[in-house]
Amino acid sequence: MDKMPNWADVVLVPLISLFLAFALSGLVILAIGENPLEALQMMVTGALGSTYGWGYTLYYATNFMFTGLAVAVAFHARLFNIGGEGQATLGGLGVALVCLSFEWPHWTLALIAAMAGGALFGAAWAAIPAWLQAKRGSHIVITTIMFNFIAAAVLNYMLVNVLRPDGAMDPATARFPEGTNLPTLHDMLAVFGIPFSKAAPVNISFLIALLACFLVWLLIWRTRLGYEIRAFGHSESAARYAGISGVRITMIAMLISGGLAGLMAINNVMGEAERLVLNSVEGAGFIGIAVALMGRSHPFGVALAAILFGFLYQGGAELALFTSIPRELIVVIQALVILFTGALDNMVRMPIERIFLALNRRKEG
Amino acid sequence: MSAPAIELKGISKSFGPVQANKDISLSVARGAIHGIIGENGAGKSTLMSILYGFYKADAGEIFIGGQKTEIPDSQAAIAAGIGMVFQHFKLVENFTVLENVVLGAEDGWKLGPSLRKARQELTALAKEYELNVDPDAVIEEIGVGMQQRVEILKALYRKADILILDEPTGVLTPTEADQLFRILRRLRDEGKTIILITHKLREIMDATDTVSVMRRGKMTATVKTAETNPEQLAELMVGRKVLLQVEKTPAKPGDVVLSASNLRVVDDAGVERLRGVSLDIRAGEILGIAGVAGNGQSELLEVLGGMQAAEGSLTLNGTDLELVGPQANGRARRARGIGHVPEDRQREGLIMDFHAWENNAFGYHDDPAFNTGLLMNNRALRKDTEKKIAEYDIRPANAWLTAKNFSGGNQQKIVVAREIERSPDLLLIGQPTRGVDIGAIEFIHKQIVALRDAGKAVLLVSVELDEILGLADRIAVMFDGRIMGERDAGATDERELGLLMAGVTDEGDN
């Protein structure tokens, strides 16, 4: 064996990274004169101590799963899609247009149509940077970032000038019709007689996000297209040898990626707000990058990382509400988690690897 | 008797769990050409890197001229009189010869005096060793052979007494190689010590006085060159008897399988890489393309394999193949029955991070045998891989290993198995044995000949002239994007091919 076992790679390393991030966060909290243990307890009870807390944690996690998957799919084709934010924004527009266009008889029909609308708008928004990358060589990191700003401006324009109901002061669409309201986890669990907080926004989109994780796994590891995406991502020159078109893979991977980001809107726009407001995405597109990094671009890893970040979001909100720890500190904690699990991955991995190698050698010797 | 120029005692070095050098002792006499031969991965380069200060040995001692010497970095190696000529030259392309020689050995902050001194010294060295190079020539404008001389001059300018050359003939024509060996002999006669690292048995026999053989990180033998022969050296390298000569019967050429006419390729920089190449390949024959690397062979392979657009025309079994457009790609070529073992298996033939079984489908992942409906049939794919692993004796016999964890020879076997087992009408095969150990070379050669005997056409591109001569039935020589001439393999020799490779025109032919 010249490498460490797989479980250490996918479980131990992220856990240690996480621990380090939390330890450092604790020091920061200590430095501003608060008790880190109390803060941790507050976060855990706030996010996981009640069905209400869970409801919010999973609601956030749903957003992050979609955007995390979006980044992960593109990443398999070695495309760094930083445009999840903009694609999800446009996805929201698509969902809103679908929901408002028609007096929907039942939420199931509305959901299917809204998914199509959100995915289509998100994919279309990713298609332009993808085309520029594939055909013109414009770097996708630059173009997707710029498209985030354009998306925000487009949404602003649409809400202020087109979608705002007459007489309303608020740059937001009208409330979606009754027939588009999605069942919440409370509604669904009630069928089985399991009590769950009524106030929490987690809804059926959570299950769709889990399904999306599974389908992305199937796509990447079990289909020809996934094979080609991975092959292209690992080696462009080899893809050329095999006759895999780089233009085609770049386009398809980005369309899927944008579509997944756009799908997020069924959760935050259709499921929670039930209308489209400014800045509806609230940075979930960027959290998706961290989620994909921490989940190592594997859908199951993405699902777990999304739940972790959902916990950080909800626990952080509780912290800001009930202690004198400022809200900005939550951002610091999130940033540390991203820093340690994403950017500083090798800092933890290398020493662990060395330890395992040394153990192996002793066993052999 | 004076102390040996270099003496290594008990050198060991490991990288992680891999032991690259195990307790190596070596003594190189002053004023000799000492060859070090061994397969890829035998530890030659590691040993020389230790000697040149790139790596620090885990254990062992180095004596230079009888004195124990620590070599922590290359500066120390240079100070100890060791010079190294790397396989890939370390020259600044847009500097002149003189500037390259001085680079890193300037005397003060003013360049002028250093350059003047170097010019004098260079003239003296040129006279002493017959190493004539124009000091004001720009590197990118002189030939590869000349560039190598600049590398040697760089070492001599730094007062090297011991010169290490790592695979120096890889990029040279046979004539240039002969010139190099003449220079090396001259250097030896003037008292320099030379270490020649190579995997080519012929060079060892031609150029060296003594030879050390390495196998799997160990020094297996040191013998006087005059007292050994290629067969014995090969056996020492591999650890068993090997056939150096490919056994094959005369070819029975059939119908023309592939016919190319007037192929032209212009690269992105506007340089014409193929300047009207025409050739026919028949069923049941191996057409070898000889030439120094970079004379259009790679582009030819890429055009035929669908990786590169071109002008001209191309037919396979009488029907046209597209040279531009959507059908000019590897997938379409495979569907038409063209197999392709690319020149660079690590960049093209394999995805290094894919499992062996995933690589076994590469390029053929559309094959119905590997798919069930929308999904890939990974189980069938693994089964097929395990069969090939057994048939081709790929080691380790583990379909789950990623490609990068196989040795060069076994990586190549994965590619060759994938392409040959499809029984293509035409097999394109580039540098089939580059970086491949002797045992695997023998095996791969046999497979190529077996494919030919099954009535298939083979186009073999190789920069190893021995390989072309041993394997091909007909030989075409490329120079500067053109085919300089074609010869029957039985009716030509190295000298004739060497002239064609150097671009000497083919007058006797028509």
Side-chain angles (χ1 to χ4, degrees):
Chain A
M1 272 318 263
D2 58 344
K3 53 183 198 152
M4 61 180 168
N6 218 11
W7 64 267
D9 195 29
V10 294
V11 181
L12 194 61
V13 170
L15 278 182
I16 293 177
S17 302
L18 207 56
F19 175 78
L20 288 176
F22 278 131
L24 204 56
S25 306
L27 288 181
V28 176
I29 293 174
L30 208 59
I32 60 168
E34 297 284 335
N35 184 342
L37 285 178
E38 255 173 46
L40 181 67
Q41 197 197 358
M42 180 80 77
M43 281 182 81
V44 172
T45 47
L48 310 173
S50 63
T51 58
Y52 174 83
W54 271 103
Y56 266 98
T57 298
L58 293 182
Y59 163 74
Y60 290 125
T62 307
N63 286 343
F64 304 153
M65 268 184 222
F66 281 121
T67 52
L69 286 177
V71 176
V73 167
F75 208 70
H76 279 289
R78 194 158 292 173
L79 295 165
F80 201 2
N81 177 15
I82 307 196
E85 190 79 7
Q87 290 142 22
T89 300
L90 264 284
L93 196 58
V95 166
L97 290 176
V98 166
C99 289
L100 291 168
S101 66
F102 194 68
E103 202 52 52
W104 292 94
H106 194 265
W107 64 267
T108 47
L109 297 176
L111 178 59
I112 292 167
M115 283 172 68
L120 202 69
F121 271 59
W125 203 244
I128 306 166
W131 189 85
L132 288 171
Q133 167 81 58
K135 286 284 189 187
R136 315 289 309 173
S138 317
H139 203 287
I140 204 148
V141 169
I142 310 293
T143 47
T144 49
I145 284 192
M146 295 199 292
F147 264 65
N148 287 337
F149 293 105
I150 303 174
V154 167
L155 182 69
N156 204 337
Y157 174 84
M158 290 296 286
L159 288 180
V160 170
N161 296 299
V162 184
L163 294 170
R164 182 169 51 96
D166 289 338
M169 304 285 283
D170 198 10
T173 65
R175 196 155 283 283
F176 296 162
E178 195 82 2
T180 64
N181 292 354
L182 297 179
T184 61
L185 201 58
H186 166 81
D187 302 333
M188 291 186 289
L189 288 177
V191 177
F192 305 101
I194 304 169
F196 197 87
S197 166
K198 202 172 170 181
V202 62
N203 58 72
I204 193 163
S205 305
F206 174 62
L207 300 184
I208 294 173
L210 289 179
L211 183 68
C213 287
F214 175 72
L215 289 178
V216 165
W217 174 80
L218 210 61
L219 168 80
I220 296 294
W221 274 280
R222 286 294 181 273
T223 67
R224 288 190 288 284
L225 179 62
Y227 182 93
E228 292 189 355
I229 287 176
R230 285 185 296 133
F232 175 77
H234 278 298
S235 169
E236 267 183 60
S237 51
R240 194 166 67 98
Y241 155 79
I244 295 168
S245 157
V247 172
R248 181 171 158 266
I249 295 298
T250 301
M251 289 305 296
I252 292 180
M254 279 305 284
L255 286 177
I256 295 173
S257 176
L260 283 163
L263 267 182
M264 183 194 120
I266 61 165
N267 188 46
N268 67 331
V269 176
M270 191 178 184
E272 201 252 349
E274 294 177 352
R275 61 179 190 145
L276 183 61
V277 298
L278 273 184
N279 190 25
S280 60
V281 182
E282 292 182 302
F286 294 115
I287 299 290
I289 298 167
V291 166
L293 278 175
M294 188 176 181
R296 314 200 69 205
S297 295
H298 193 291
F300 301 148
V302 166
L304 290 177
I307 291 172
L308 170 75
F309 274 85
F311 157 76
L312 286 177
Y313 245 60
Q314 170 55 16
E318 293 283 312
L319 213 54
L321 217 53
F322 297 110
T323 67
S324 51
I325 296 175
R327 175 138 193 105
E328 285 69 30
L329 199 73
I330 310 309
V331 182
V332 171
I333 297 175
Q334 283 162 4
L336 283 171
V337 170
I338 295 174
L339 194 65
F340 274 89
T341 57
L344 297 180
D345 198 40
N346 275 337
M347 189 182 81
V348 175
R349 169 159 296 121
M350 270 143 72
I352 303 254
E353 215 159 43
R354 226 166 289 146
I355 291 169
F356 269 96
L357 289 178
L359 286 177
N360 272 338
R361 209 167 304 151
R362 191 171 306 164
K363 225 180 292 168
E364 282 161 20
Chain B
M1 183 158 172
S2 65
I6 300 175
E7 201 171 8
L8 304 178
K9 282 183 182 166
I11 298 280
S12 291
K13 172 77 189 171
S14 34
F15 299 99
V18 182
Q19 200 162 16
N21 286 162
K22 290 175 210 165
D23 192 21
I24 286 186
S25 296
L26 171 71
S27 169
V28 178
R30 190 182 298 277
I33 301 182
H34 191 108
I36 294 184
I37 195 165
E39 302 194 304
N40 275 66
K44 300 173 299 218
S45 297
T46 305
L47 188 64
M48 289 306 123
S49 298
I50 289 169
L51 194 51
Y52 199 61
F54 281 167
Y55 297 137
K56 194 181 174 327
D58 298 337
E61 295 174 321
I62 301 173
F63 296 85
I64 307 287
Q67 254 190 329
K68 187 170 181 322
T69 312
E70 295 287 336
I71 305 181
D73 53 35
S74 53
Q75 291 297 325
I78 292 167
I82 300 172
M84 184 126 173
V85 176
F86 293 93
Q87 193 173 356
H88 303 284
F89 305 148
K90 308 216 179 293
L91 297 171
V92 182
E93 292 266 305
N94 54 354
F95 275 20
T96 63
V97 170
L98 195 62
E99 286 166 334
N100 266 290
V101 167
V102 172
L103 185 67
E106 304 90 345
D107 285 329
W109 62 273
K110 277 197 297 184
L111 200 53
S114 298
L115 287 177
R116 270 193 294 281
K117 192 182 121 209
R119 189 182 293 276
Q120 275 176 11
E121 200 120 340
L122 229 51
T123 320
L125 286 171
K127 202 172 288 170
E128 197 176 350
Y129 302 111
E130 291 175 38
L131 273 165
N132 288 314
V133 183
D134 172 12
D136 297 311
V138 177
I139 292 296
E140 59 196 350
E141 286 164 8
I142 61 177
V144 178
M146 279 294 172
Q147 293 182 3
Q148 195 166 47
R149 283 190 196 182
V150 177
E151 284 283 11
I152 295 173
L153 280 169
K154 261 169 72 181
L156 295 177
Y157 181 75
R158 285 159 178 74
K159 308 274 179 257
D161 272 323
I162 300 159
L163 208 54
I164 306 170
L165 295 101
D166 188 5
E167 302 279 0
T169 60
V171 289
L172 303 182
T173 63
T175 321
E176 285 173 323
D178 284 345
Q179 280 168 0
L180 171 70
F181 292 144
R182 210 171 311 136
I183 292 169
L184 295 184
R185 280 186 210 107
R186 177 74 187 240
L187 287 167
R188 173 195 59 191
D189 296 343
E190 300 289 333
K192 305 284 185 194
T193 306
I194 289 158
I195 298 182
L196 178 68
I197 305 168
T198 179
H199 67 281
K200 293 180 186 169
L201 290 164
R202 199 172 48 85
E203 285 172 6
I204 290 287
M205 300 308 296
D206 282 358
T208 65
D209 302 312
T210 42
V211 51
S212 295
V213 185
M214 288 189 74
R215 169 153 56 96
R216 289 188 192 162
K218 285 189 189 145
M219 197 63 89
T220 50
T222 297
V223 287
K224 284 220 168 10
T225 310
E227 293 165 8
T228 185
N229 56 53
E231 286 74 19
Q232 188 197 3
L233 287 177
E235 197 178 328
L236 285 167
M237 274 164 75
V238 184
R240 64 177 172 81
K241 276 213 182 308
V242 280
L243 277 173
L244 289 178
Q245 210 57 44
V246 189
E247 284 185 334
K248 64 179 178 110
T249 53
K252 300 186 199 75
D255 296 335
V256 172
V257 172
L258 183 95
S259 176
S261 78
N262 212 16
L263 296 179
R264 282 176 192 281
V265 168
V266 179
D267 71 9
D268 294 338
V271 179
E272 216 175 4
R273 292 293 174 180
L274 290 185
R275 306 166 183 256
V277 168
S278 302
L279 50 83
D280 285 342
I281 310 172
R282 293 173 175 280
E285 74 163 353
I286 300 171
L287 173 65
I289 306 279
V292 180
N295 277 291
Q297 306 98 306
S298 306
E299 286 79 7
L300 177 64
L301 266 184
E302 291 194 351
V303 167
L304 299 182
M307 296 166 66
Q308 162 82 52
E311 293 169 38
S313 73
L314 191 61
T315 62
L316 183 76
N317 295 322
T319 48
D320 278 347
L321 287 176
E322 285 184 26
L323 285 169
V324 284
Q327 284 307 302
N329 68 55
R331 190 193 304 244
R333 291 284 202 273
R334 276 182 197 88
R336 293 285 299 273
I338 297 181
H340 183 182
V341 178
E343 289 187 300
D344 190 336
R345 61 180 163 268
Q346 303 199 343
R347 283 190 68 242
E348 292 168 347
L350 295 167
I351 303 281
M352 297 306 276
D353 287 322
F354 272 16
H355 302 296
W357 61 267
E358 285 176 303
N359 271 303
N360 184 38
F362 196 51
Y364 299 99
H365 48 281
D366 290 326
D367 186 340
F370 295 153
N371 287 280
T372 43
L374 277 175
L375 302 184
M376 290 187 80
N377 187 348
N378 290 346
R379 199 167 299 154
L381 187 46
R382 283 196 282 271
K383 221 168 158 190
D384 184 71
T385 310
E386 272 154 17
K387 209 177 101 212
K388 283 177 184 150
I389 285 178
E391 277 170 15
Y392 280 72
D393 190 25
I394 295 165
R395 290 179 207 187
N398 182 352
W400 280 98
L401 232 51
T402 47
K404 64 179 173 211
N405 287 321
F406 287 94
S407 69
N410 284 298
Q411 286 172 0
Q412 187 73 331
K413 278 183 177 181
I414 294 173
V415 180
V416 168
R418 182 179 76 209
E419 303 297 326
I420 286 191
E421 288 304 301
R422 295 260 150 190
S423 195
D425 288 345
L426 169 68
L427 178 71
L428 309 170
I429 185 161
Q431 318 300 348
T433 54
R434 177 185 281 169
V436 168
D437 43 277
I438 289 195
I441 289 177
E442 189 188 2
F443 184 85
I444 289 169
H445 283 172
K446 272 188 190 159
Q447 299 302 317
I448 295 172
V449 172
L451 191 72
R452 179 204 74 166
D453 290 344
K456 310 293 185 178
V458 177
L459 179 81
L460 165 74
V461 171
S462 176
V463 293
E464 306 270 352
L465 204 46
D466 290 344
E467 179 165 51
I468 296 269
L469 277 164
L471 211 51
D473 303 308
R474 205 150 53 83
I475 298 170
V477 181
M478 283 190 78
F479 174 75
D480 198 23
R482 287 193 187 88
I483 290 187
M484 300 305 290
E486 276 187 25
R487 296 285 185 272
D488 255 346
T492 185
D493 58 21
E494 210 158 280
R495 189 169 304 124
E496 190 183 20
L497 294 177
L499 283 175
L500 290 172
M501 283 163 74
V504 179
T505 40
D506 190 14
E507 284 167 348
D509 204 11
N510 22 24

